[in-house]
Amino acid sequence: MVNDNNSAGINSIIRRLFECNALKFGQFKLKSGIESPVYIDLRIIISQPDLMIDLCQQYVPLMKQCRFDQICGVPYTALTMATYLSAQFHYPMLMRRKEMKQHGTKQTLEGVFQQGNRVLIIEDLISSGSSILETALALRQAGLIVTDAIVFIDREQGGIQNLRHPDIDIKVHSCISFSELINYLKNEGHITDEKSTEVLKWINSNHCAIPVALHNQLSLITRPSSWKSYEDRARLCQNPLGKRLFELMKSKQSNLCVSADLTNCESILKLADLAGPHIVMLKTHVDIIDDFSMDFARRLRDLARNHNFILFEDRKFADIGFTVQKQYTGGLFRLSEWTDLINAHILPGPAIIDALRQEAVASSLKDGQARGCLLISHLSSEGNLVPADYAQEAYKMAIKNPDFIVGFISQTKVSADPAFIHMTPGVKIGNEKGDQLGQQYTTPEDAVQNKGADLIIVGRGIISKLNSSREEFETNIILYKKRGYDAYINLCQ
Ligand code: S5P
């Protein structure tokens, strides 16, 4: 999409593309045999280095919105663009061969990569989406994760929607749409009103589908995590706590975590007992409890064992390694002794994970219980200052520590790796969009289907009913459980 900041730049690029005949109007026979009143050929920009540079610069703001480790251009036109972007901005590149090499290694991908790396596809324009899909197939078959692609022009012939198909699930970002391009050329007097109407009409009535043969190859590719069952995902977890969580979700048919944001021990124990059969996790903020004692911690742990749920202390560690070790093991709360799961910010750097892991391992050795940690990749509060690349950095740290990092506290999908769990707070049924202090709410369905949540975290939506009748409390919590779980199951089908 054109935005105010770069529209001047993009308008000059369109004018120059028109002047150098990269945008042609007339009657053209396309590869498919169809007659088209417009022909776009961005290949010729390799002969116009200044135009090439300016055009590639348009990709940069969109790249900043995507999470990736490497880029790959769709051969051949976008290969040159990807090469420029890689060299200029230091993004490691991969090259996909269009034809299989007949000698030597016979590989179709050139460059260094590791399975699980995220690759951003760079393409010049999209019509049906087939070219992007072919490249995505090759990358996914090699164990790489592809979730996003960037094109310069969206021809608005259905390609973006085609690639949103659940079997494909690639989000395509475009610098400019075809109608914006045509409107600019018309407004600047490069084409007549009649031509513009004719071309836009042609585009609207010529949507393209992905060829069936290509569609049939889809079963070869790795599907994103949401299609894997809980059992499959449990098998993929290296961390025993993550494994246990997926198994619990399956056996309790629940992806609900209740946030026990209450200030006295008895009410938290009452909540744990009432909610226990319906949840897979109970989350605490122990520093808001007035009468905390280790006896309370022991009783809560007994309830967690009896009802089979995980205890998560939402401590959001964010200090140097030396300090977080003491915060985790010591003080009044001695969290490492009784909690299964904790969470941390990545701001202090990777040592925070090493520090917490050391203590978690020591505690597990004592009591035989698995422990894990979540990384915070997003916050739900309005106006939060979490930077756009925070999630990508969290992901990079997570993949280096799969034995300890169970997943993310997120607001969008951070990783397509099915072993990582995404837990999303800020969930409430009803019309409330938020509270008076910046919290922003969404529904269980939106959290699961649009925000990538595997598990929903609900606080006030559930604890507000703690002092109602038991029946009312149960009806409400069962509603949350059912809506969260059904949303997940619908996504898997
Ligand atoms: O981004 C976040 C992260 C967390 S862990 N937003 C959140 O709201 N949380 C926590 O989730 C928050 O600290 C609180 O304990 C819970 C949400 O509670 P609710 O009452 O608004 O559902």
Side-chain angles (χ1 to χ4, degrees):
M1 289 288 289
V2 182
N3 63 42
D4 289 344
N5 292 336
N6 67 7
S7 62
I10 212 160
N11 287 344
S12 130
I13 293 168
I14 297 163
R15 180 181 45 72
R16 285 143 74 199
L17 287 173
F18 181 73
E19 285 166 1
C20 72
N21 254 348
L23 309 173
K24 293 193 201 98
F25 296 87
Q27 278 307 316
F28 306 92
K29 200 168 195 132
L30 301 180
K31 209 161 66 177
S32 55
I34 303 173
E35 293 267 329
S36 162
V38 60
Y39 190 71
I40 305 176
D41 179 7
L42 295 183
R43 273 168 294 210
I44 60 177
I45 64 167
I46 54 173
S47 309
Q48 311 243 0
D50 291 343
L51 180 52
M52 162 76 106
I53 290 171
D54 290 350
L55 192 146
C56 286
Q57 290 287 348
Q58 298 293 319
Y59 285 65
V60 178
L62 296 174
M63 291 174 89
K64 295 205 169 120
Q65 296 169 20
C66 301
R67 294 185 300 276
F68 60 93
D69 306 304
Q70 290 172 280
I71 60 174
C72 180
V74 175
Y76 291 103
T77 312
L79 202 54
T80 53
M81 298 171 171
T83 309
Y84 168 81
L85 290 166
S86 164
Q88 182 70 16
F89 300 102
H90 306 275
Y91 297 124
M93 185 172 120
L94 279 177
M95 190 171 74
R96 181 191 155 231
R97 288 179 175 277
K98 218 170 171 176
E99 303 80 19
M100 168 85 96
K101 237 164 95 177
Q102 293 307 318
H103 52 86
T105 56
K106 294 209 168 151
Q107 62 200 14
T108 53
L109 290 181
E110 304 288 353
V112 179
F113 62 90
Q114 285 182 342
Q115 291 211 347
N117 278 7
R118 297 173 77 98
V119 183
L120 173 68
I121 293 182
I122 302 292
E123 173 62 313
D124 59 340
L125 58 85
I126 181 166
S127 324
S128 71
S130 305
S131 305
I132 291 178
L133 181 56
E134 279 170 10
T135 294
L137 267 167
L139 293 166
R140 286 179 173 175
Q141 277 175 299
L144 293 155
I145 297 168
V146 179
T147 54
D148 292 80
I150 304 181
V151 299
F152 182 64
I153 302 171
D154 168 20
R155 284 188 58 130
E156 297 179 290
Q157 289 182 276
I160 290 192
Q161 292 78 358
N162 289 346
L163 296 187
R164 288 310 278 168
H165 185 286
D167 281 348
I168 304 171
D169 201 21
I170 296 173
K171 189 170 179 194
V172 180
H173 313 258
S174 68
C175 302
I176 186 166
S177 70
F178 190 74
S179 34
E180 287 166 338
L181 183 151
I182 294 297
N183 280 334
Y184 169 77
L185 290 174
K186 183 185 74 176
N187 294 340
E188 293 296 308
H190 298 301
I191 57 170
T192 61
D193 281 4
E194 294 73 46
K195 192 56 154 178
S196 136
T197 313
E198 179 200 344
V199 170
L200 289 175
K201 204 167 146 210
W202 185 87
I203 286 284
N204 275 334
S205 48
N206 278 278
H207 278 203
C208 339
I210 301 273
V212 176
L214 186 55
H215 220 276
N216 288 345
Q217 292 179 36
L218 288 175
S219 57
L220 297 173
I221 61 180
T222 326
R223 289 174 155 204
S225 56
S226 48
W227 280 280
K228 297 229 186 299
S229 66
Y230 293 137
E231 300 98 295
D232 285 345
R233 295 181 68 179
R235 273 193 291 277
L236 291 165
C237 272
Q238 288 187 36
N239 173 284
L241 187 67
K243 197 182 269 300
R244 184 176 154 219
L245 181 53
F246 282 120
E247 284 165 359
L248 273 182
M249 287 160 80
K250 164 80 185 159
S251 65
K252 291 183 100 169
Q253 306 221 328
S254 168
N255 56 359
L256 181 59
C257 166
V258 69
S259 186
D261 299 334
L262 298 159
T263 52
N264 68 76
C265 296
E266 281 316 313
S267 50
I268 296 176
L269 294 170
K270 178 177 169 192
L271 174 72
D273 204 18
L274 287 176
H278 312 291
I279 57 173
V280 287
M281 189 179 290
L282 181 136
K283 180 173 90 63
T284 50
H285 280 296
V286 281
D287 53 357
I288 66 171
I289 304 174
D290 296 329
D291 52 349
F292 178 87
S293 67
M294 283 307 281
D295 181 54
F296 156 76
R298 190 190 45 73
R299 288 167 67 197
L300 188 60
R301 198 159 175 84
D302 286 347
L303 283 168
R305 192 175 315 113
N306 292 344
H307 289 298
N308 208 2
F309 59 77
I310 284 167
L311 282 179
F312 165 27
E313 165 56 24
D314 188 4
R315 175 64 179 74
K316 298 188 181 72
F317 291 103
D319 215 316
I320 60 166
F322 175 81
T323 307
V324 295
Q325 282 193 333
K326 306 239 169 319
Q327 289 172 325
Y328 182 28
T329 57
L332 277 183
F333 306 121
R334 288 153 49 193
L335 297 171
S336 62
E337 289 180 27
W338 59 276
T339 59
D340 304 298
L341 188 61
I342 47 172
N343 56 355
H345 273 291
I346 56 165
L347 272 177
I352 192 167
I353 299 178
D354 297 335
L356 291 169
R357 184 207 277 105
Q358 276 176 16
E359 297 300 344
V361 168
S363 302
S364 294
L365 282 174
K366 277 188 209 145
D367 64 11
Q369 297 298 310
R371 283 166 177 76
C373 180
L374 298 159
L375 296 181
I376 294 152
S377 59
H378 305 87
L379 286 175
S380 64
S381 47
E382 199 180 349
N384 71 75
L385 299 178
V386 172
D389 56 356
Y390 203 64
Q392 191 180 341
E393 295 303 322
Y395 168 70
K396 285 187 196 158
M397 285 197 202
I399 53 174
K400 289 190 185 132
N401 298 281
D403 58 321
F404 184 48
I405 301 301
V406 172
F408 307 94
I409 296 284
S410 59
Q411 292 291 319
T412 67
K413 212 58 152 191
V414 179
S415 163
D417 182 336
F420 288 123
I421 192 145
H422 292 74
M423 301 185 21
T424 301
V427 176
K428 201 162 190 205
I429 295 174
N431 298 326
E432 254 174 277
K433 293 274 164 268
D435 64 11
Q436 302 303 310
L437 296 171
Q439 175 67 304
Q440 301 181 104
Y441 284 124
T442 190
T443 59
E445 290 78 10
D446 185 52
V448 172
Q449 283 159 2
N450 301 323
K451 295 186 160 208
D454 298 309
L455 192 148
I456 54 171
I457 300 177
V458 182
R460 284 163 283 182
I462 290 174
I463 59 178
S464 59
K465 300 275 185 212
L466 190 60
N467 294 324
S468 310
S469 68
R470 187 180 177 132
E471 220 181 340
E472 203 180 322
F473 177 86
E474 285 196 336
T475 309
N476 181 56
I477 195 168
I478 289 168
L479 184 66
Y480 274 97
K481 172 187 167 185
K482 186 167 164 33
R483 285 187 48 177
Y485 193 76
D486 284 355
Y488 194 88
I489 293 302
N490 286 339
L491 206 61
C492 299
Q493 281 161 355

